[in-house]
Amino acid sequence: MNNILVIMADGVLFASWLFLVAVGLTLIYGVMRILNIAHGSLYTIGAYTGAVFVIAYCQKSNWLPGSYLVLLGAAILAGLILGTIMERGVLRWFYGKEVVLQLLSTYAIFLILEDVYKLVFGVKPYYAYKPLLGAGNFIIGGVNYPRYYLILFFMAVLAGILLWLFINKTRFGKLVLAVIHDPEISLAMGIKIDRVYIVAFSLGAILAALGGAFTAPMIAVVPGLAVEVIVISFAVVIIGGLGSFVGAGLGALIVGLVRSFAVHYVPALELFTVYFVMAAVLLIRPQGLFPTKEVRKI
Amino acid sequence: MNRTSQQTTLIVLLGFMVVLGFILPDWMRYLFTVALCKAFVVLGIVILLRAGLVSFGHALFFAAAAYSVAFSANLWGIREALVLIILGVLASLALAAIIGLLVAGYREIFFAMLTLAFSMAFFGVLVKAYKFTGGTDGLHIPSPTILGLQFSPEISSIAKYFLTLFCLLIVVYLINRLVNSPFGYTLRAVKENEIRVSYMGCSVRKAVYLAFLISGGLAGLGGSLITFDVGHIDPYLSYWTTSGEFVFVALLSGTGNVFACLGGSVFVEFIKTYAFKYAPYTWQMVLGGIMLVVILFSPGGLWALYENLRRRMKMGGKKFDAIT
Amino acid sequence: MPLLEVKDLSMHFDAIVAADNLNVTVDAGEVVGIIGPNGAGKTTFLNLVTGYLKPQKGRIMLMGKDIVGLRPHEITAMGVARSFQMPQLFLELTVLENILVALATGSSRSLHSWRPLKNKERINEAHEILDRLGLDEMHNRLAGEIPEGDRKLLDVAMAFALKPKLLFMDEPTSGVSTEDKFQVMDRLMNVLNQSEVTTVFIEHDMSVVRRYAKRVLVFNEGKVMADGHPEAILKKETQSIQGVEIKCCK
């Protein structure tokens, strides 16, 4: 019984991390129909800026909640700046071009940023454990969990709710929905698609950076984080159905739970659980659990 | 290019390559051989590109072949290069046959990302199964015999070069046939209009699957051959950066010409060697930068740029779109 | 046995009824015109019969075999070809290559053939088809560069090159100017009659249907409102189908 509780807790905590990291990818795809391979790079810049800022902050102050605000601020700053550069500097030249070219353009950005990070931040790992260790532990089913995980959980839920409110309850969100539904008609109705794209991309970028920044205290921030993040995010997002927010949440939950079962019962397979779940879902439902339907008219 | 001029080019090129095999200094011949081995994978990627598909995970098949060569050599003591090549290609074909079932129904981003995901999973297996694969340390492969002959180290390098060249010659011929066959055109047709292809009575899925098999097999051939040359393999053969380089060379060379891929491969291998030496941590950046420029201004690769220029000169400045 | 027999075919898109218990029979050698207002379910009928859409109810028998659930490529391989309202061409191949590809895939399962696409016999055959349709002078141009009307013709030519037993054409003259319409149709029908292909075509213009079809089906709201000789149908103008007629003939 305790065991199940621990597995569930593990699964949900991991799922909240997955959701936080992946939801930006599905947002950008849903609105712009571009799969941003550089999503992992945005995550990485979040992790680096988060780590650098927190390390600097912790040398000056011991007030723990402040370090979370620093992480938050670092993520928003990093995501906004890099996201804008990516979208305005590169991606917009590829709007309306072949999908394959759009895909390659984000891949190229990803390649470039991999080296840029090495040149800017060096190859030595950054450690920013303070926000994690300072918060202490709590106990579920006799197992110690860092309280920090709760913050991650809280962040994921908050991100989900805010995103939902933004899309469904604000005027701008309605424009976003219109563009998701039919870009051509939206354009004809006078919606400034470019502006919707900028906002959606920045938002997705900030979410990715947020994922990175709040992960930073739990890991050694080193070069090469990006590729795993993009592959895992993609897996989560296609399990749920590319472009669907609910799908991203469900995908994260499924992968999270399956992984924690694997960790407890077949640890050797932990690394591959994401791929297994993805392959299984795709075999049964090729468009994911919440597909966005498209039939080409002929 | 018409037929005769293509044949002349081929003969001149072949003669040139044969001469190179004898006169090049060892380190250069080594680089050349490595580049040619990678050209197989690039050709495989180009076949998929012609059907409008990008694979970000072809290093998977490259590495799978290399590891099965290593296993065959180390565990079963097989030394004959030709047998090892066949085993390597079979291994990557088998993997492509399985993965192909899953990816053949997908296009564009799905295809690209799924291939990437599979290669990452494979990389994970290679690193984790260190009992068999030696983990990140990799495996050592003894120098093979070629047609039963064991060469001394100096001659061996020349022999391996010619073995690679020989395989390449066969492959270039076969690809040329393929490109001009109905199937070759069907792939181009798939890229342009799948609906029409299926309304011609042709299963798009089957065509993509077949292309994936061929391309996986080519990557396997390259992967088998490269083990002889480098003598040591590690999981990074299957890493996404390796796949990225293949895609880069394929894009740079374009899908229009087989020889462009060979040239592109050799060119990139040499640049890379110097880049690693003189400017570490800039290689991916250079790749990405050039890639952006190429896809923005000449999506058909540098070869298309050249063809365009040639046509434009012929037509007196009339504008043509790039052939992609 | 009829060539094509459609029984109780139904298809709804949410609230829209695209096919409502359709019953249609086409015999070998017939030339059938389908007419009806926009949204009457004409193209949906084609999409259903050729496997692009799967019907929610009903049977489609092709030469006595039930083909519901088969994919377009399987149905095409059984000898059914179609052209499209919006031409579906390979825009970056030349006009000739478009036909060659169709000839190659249509004649055999030559997906696995090693022979070059461009062999002499096939090229001659392609030229002949293009010539009969009056497209041969542009055989070297890219399909993406030729005028819209010619693209429509090429689209039909590709379907024809498959040597089908049953050919569907979705508004073959929709991109063609009114004055050229009959000329284009003449050429088209000439070729089709010579090779004795059973033809079903969708057309908005009753005068075209009247001239080329020996039988016409009037579609409205997913139903066949009338079925018979064009003249007979025109005579019944005053009756229930009148509303439909006026809408589609203006």
Side-chain angles (χ1 to χ4, degrees):
Chain A
M1 191 56 220
N2 260 356
N3 218 358
I4 294 291
L5 197 67
V6 171
I7 290 175
M8 297 302 261
D10 270 359
V12 169
L13 290 174
F14 188 62
S16 44
W17 179 78
L18 283 174
F19 179 75
L20 200 57
V21 169
V23 69
L25 188 70
T26 217
L27 170 73
I28 292 173
Y29 179 83
V31 178
M32 305 167 74
R33 301 280 134 177
I34 289 178
L35 187 90
N36 182 22
I37 296 184
H39 191 73
S41 314
L42 289 163
Y43 166 94
T44 311
I45 193 70
Y48 270 118
T49 359
V52 169
F53 280 30
V54 159
I55 290 169
Y57 171 83
C58 289
Q59 281 166 353
K60 296 232 167 68
S61 164
N62 261 331
W63 190 57
L64 204 59
S67 70
Y68 304 135
L69 291 177
V70 166
L71 284 176
L72 189 69
I76 293 175
L77 190 71
L80 202 58
I81 293 175
L82 191 62
T84 311
I85 293 175
M86 263 187 212
E87 200 274 339
R88 284 291 95 186
V90 181
L91 281 184
R92 70 172 165 142
W93 303 106
F94 291 91
Y95 292 159
K97 292 207 174 187
E98 279 175 62
V99 177
V100 168
L101 295 184
Q102 296 177 340
L103 187 72
L104 288 168
S105 71
T106 62
Y107 186 69
I109 298 174
F110 163 54
L111 284 176
I112 295 172
L113 289 178
E114 279 296 286
D115 274 350
V116 169
Y117 294 158
K118 283 182 204 153
L119 292 175
V120 174
F121 298 104
V123 287
K124 282 202 204 110
Y126 285 68
Y127 299 101
Y129 293 143
K130 267 272 174 60
L132 172 75
L133 299 179
N137 293 331
F138 68 103
I139 294 172
I140 296 179
V143 175
N144 270 322
Y145 287 95
R147 281 221 181 84
Y148 183 79
Y149 285 6
L150 289 178
I151 291 174
L152 210 62
F153 177 71
F154 173 72
M155 287 295 300
V157 173
L158 193 70
I161 292 174
L162 286 180
L163 202 59
W164 187 85
L165 286 176
F166 170 71
I167 298 277
N168 292 297
K169 297 290 167 196
T170 65
R171 211 187 81 84
F172 198 85
K174 297 249 161 65
L175 297 185
V176 172
L177 276 181
V179 173
I180 290 178
H181 191 71
D182 195 325
E184 276 170 38
I185 291 182
S186 309
L187 193 66
M189 308 246 303
I191 296 176
K192 292 195 178 75
I193 288 207
D194 261 27
R195 261 179 48 197
V196 173
Y197 278 5
I198 296 173
V199 172
F201 194 86
S202 311
L203 209 57
I206 290 172
L207 282 165
L210 213 58
F214 277 84
T215 312
M218 306 192 292
I219 56 169
V221 182
V222 285
L225 292 173
V227 68
E228 271 162 47
V229 166
I230 177 62
V231 172
I232 287 180
S233 309
F234 179 75
V236 166
V237 158
I238 59 168
I239 287 168
L242 207 48
S244 156
F245 300 115
V246 184
L250 197 66
L253 208 56
I254 293 174
V255 173
L257 288 175
V258 173
R259 194 193 85 126
S260 80
F261 269 100
V263 170
H264 284 263
Y265 294 111
V266 240
L269 294 181
E270 184 218 320
L271 195 71
F272 309 107
T273 46
V274 177
Y275 305 109
F276 283 143
V277 177
M278 180 178 76
V281 169
L282 287 180
L283 278 174
I284 303 160
R285 280 183 75 99
Q287 299 305 318
L289 300 172
F290 291 90
T292 37
K293 212 170 184 178
E294 272 173 76
V295 172
R296 191 164 149 204
K297 199 174 178 301
I298 54 170
Chain B
M1 247 200 284
N2 63 37
R3 227 187 143 73
T4 42
S5 84
Q6 208 167 3
Q7 272 166 354
T8 333
T9 319
L10 184 64
I11 291 166
V12 170
L13 200 67
L14 189 64
F16 178 64
M17 302 274 273
V18 169
V19 173
L20 277 187
F22 290 110
I23 60 164
L24 282 182
D26 266 357
W27 69 270
M28 245 184 164
R29 189 189 307 110
Y30 169 79
L31 270 187
F32 238 87
T33 319
V34 167
L36 293 184
C37 290
K38 290 184 175 173
F40 288 103
V41 197
V42 173
L43 288 170
I45 287 182
V46 163
I47 286 178
L48 288 174
L49 269 181
R50 286 175 78 92
L53 299 163
V54 187
S55 165
F56 284 137
H58 249 52
L60 165 82
F61 305 113
F62 187 60
Y67 271 88
S68 60
V69 165
F71 289 148
S72 312
N74 292 339
L75 297 179
W76 304 326
I78 299 172
R79 301 292 303 278
E80 174 51 42
L82 297 183
V83 178
L84 290 172
I85 290 172
I86 291 170
L87 289 172
V89 173
L90 282 181
S92 52
L93 275 179
L95 268 177
I98 298 166
I99 294 173
L101 283 180
L102 200 70
V103 299
Y106 293 95
R107 305 287 175 271
E108 298 170 349
I109 40 180
F110 281 87
F111 186 88
M113 294 306 294
L114 287 176
T115 47
L116 176 62
F118 279 112
S119 77
M120 290 297 292
F122 190 73
F123 175 74
V125 172
L126 290 182
V127 173
K128 289 265 160 174
Y130 46 80
K131 258 188 212 152
F132 308 100
T133 62
T136 44
D137 291 341
L139 293 171
H140 177 74
I141 298 122
S143 192
T145 61
I146 300 170
L147 293 171
L149 300 170
Q150 182 76 61
F151 297 101
S152 67
E154 309 88 71
I155 302 182
S156 173
S157 134
I158 298 179
K160 286 173 197 162
Y161 173 83
F162 279 105
L163 177 68
T164 310
L165 194 60
F166 175 72
C167 292
L168 196 63
L169 197 67
I170 297 174
V171 163
V172 166
Y173 170 77
L174 289 179
I175 286 186
N176 211 28
R177 285 299 293 260
L178 180 98
V179 163
N180 290 309
S181 75
F183 177 60
Y185 277 89
T186 306
L187 289 183
R188 286 175 70 183
V190 166
K191 178 186 174 177
E192 279 211 52
N193 195 333
E194 291 190 21
I195 289 177
R196 177 56 100 172
V197 172
S198 54
Y199 272 110
M200 293 192 316
C202 174
S203 163
V204 175
R205 198 193 163 94
K206 214 187 257 172
V208 169
Y209 185 69
L210 197 57
F212 193 73
L213 273 186
I214 294 173
S215 129
L218 281 173
L221 182 55
S224 308
L225 284 166
I226 207 167
T227 50
F228 306 145
D229 211 39
V230 296
H232 180 90
I233 56 172
D234 62 41
Y236 285 91
L237 279 181
S238 77
Y239 204 50
W240 67 270
T241 48
T242 317
S243 293
E245 266 172 48
F246 294 141
V247 173
F248 172 75
V249 178
L251 280 177
L252 191 69
S253 321
T255 58
N257 191 288
V258 174
F259 302 119
C261 295
L262 306 187
S265 233
V266 172
F267 177 70
V268 170
E269 199 61 34
F270 273 82
I271 299 276
K272 182 182 161 187
T273 308
Y274 283 102
F276 272 152
K277 203 164 166 187
Y278 296 110
Y281 308 140
T282 57
W283 176 233
Q284 316 273 15
M285 198 152 75
V286 172
L287 287 191
I290 299 177
M291 209 179 212
L292 269 185
V293 174
V294 168
I295 56 177
L296 194 56
F297 296 106
S298 177
L302 294 182
W303 182 263
L305 204 64
Y306 160 77
E307 295 241 299
N308 266 358
L309 280 176
R310 217 175 52 157
R311 276 216 280 177
R312 218 176 282 190
M313 286 202 225
K314 257 194 209 157
M315 306 300 264
K318 205 181 154 204
K319 199 175 173 294
F320 274 96
D321 289 321
I323 325 155
T324 40
Chain C
M1 185 181 20
L3 186 58
L4 177 74
E5 194 177 3
V6 173
K7 277 185 191 160
D8 303 326
L9 198 65
S10 291
M11 181 85 193
H12 307 244
F13 300 107
D14 297 326
I16 302 159
V17 182
D20 185 7
N21 278 313
L22 274 178
N23 283 289
V24 174
T25 306
V26 177
D27 287 312
E30 275 195 293
V31 176
V32 183
I34 295 181
I35 200 164
N38 284 332
K42 302 180 301 283
T43 299
T44 305
F45 175 68
L46 247 64
N47 287 344
L48 286 167
V49 173
T50 56
Y52 188 70
L53 295 173
K54 202 180 164 193
Q56 282 140 351
K57 197 177 127 265
R59 281 198 303 169
I60 305 167
M61 312 291 283
L62 182 71
M63 293 170 285
K65 196 175 171 287
D66 193 349
I67 56 168
V68 169
L70 294 186
R71 313 295 308 270
H73 68 92
E74 292 164 316
I75 295 174
T76 308
M78 292 171 73
V80 178
R82 74 173 283 186
S83 75
F84 300 82
Q85 213 169 332
M86 318 240 252
Q88 304 285 333
L89 307 173
F90 307 124
L91 299 176
E92 286 176 14
L93 299 184
T94 66
V95 170
L96 186 71
E97 284 169 339
N98 269 276
I99 300 290
L100 286 172
V101 174
L103 278 174
T105 44
S107 59
S108 64
R109 308 268 62 78
S110 57
L111 200 59
H112 313 293
S113 161
W114 263 124
R115 283 190 72 196
L117 177 82
K118 294 180 180 174
N119 62 51
K120 222 175 220 157
E121 300 138 52
R122 200 179 279 142
I123 288 177
N124 287 340
E125 206 183 339
H127 276 305
E128 202 193 307
I129 293 175
L130 287 174
D131 192 41
R132 281 159 75 185
L133 289 169
L135 290 171
D136 202 33
E137 40 189 85
M138 53 183 70
H139 74 264
N140 241 343
R141 290 171 65 184
L142 295 182
E145 291 173 352
I146 64 174
E148 177 66 19
D150 293 327
R151 268 188 234 180
K152 290 286 295 194
L153 263 181
L154 180 58
D155 190 62
V156 177
M158 285 177 75
F160 177 70
L162 302 175
K163 304 187 186 73
K165 297 192 188 76
L166 174 58
L167 173 66
F168 290 102
M169 297 192 288
D170 197 347
E171 299 191 21
T173 62
S174 66
V176 183
S177 66
T178 326
E179 53 266 35
D180 294 340
K181 226 171 198 176
F182 285 99
Q183 195 203 337
V184 167
M185 269 315 262
D186 271 348
R187 228 186 272 153
L188 213 56
M189 282 305 177
N190 228 340
V191 175
L192 294 176
N193 284 339
Q194 271 171 29
S195 35
E196 294 172 349
V197 184
T198 312
T199 308
V200 178
F201 66 97
I202 295 175
E203 180 56 64
H204 267 298
D205 190 338
M206 190 59 185
S207 56
V208 173
V209 176
R210 198 171 164 184
R211 179 152 160 185
Y212 300 100
K214 294 175 192 75
R215 183 180 154 205
V216 59
L217 301 172
V218 183
F219 270 53
N220 194 30
E221 290 176 352
K223 286 195 184 71
V224 180
M225 307 296 286
D227 178 353
H229 197 274
E231 302 303 331
I233 299 238
L234 277 177
K235 270 186 198 140
K236 284 198 282 182
E237 215 173 355
T238 47
Q239 291 166 18
S240 60
I241 51 165
Q242 191 188 21
V244 177
E245 292 291 308
I246 289 166
K247 254 185 261 166
C248 62
C249 294
K250 60 174 186 261

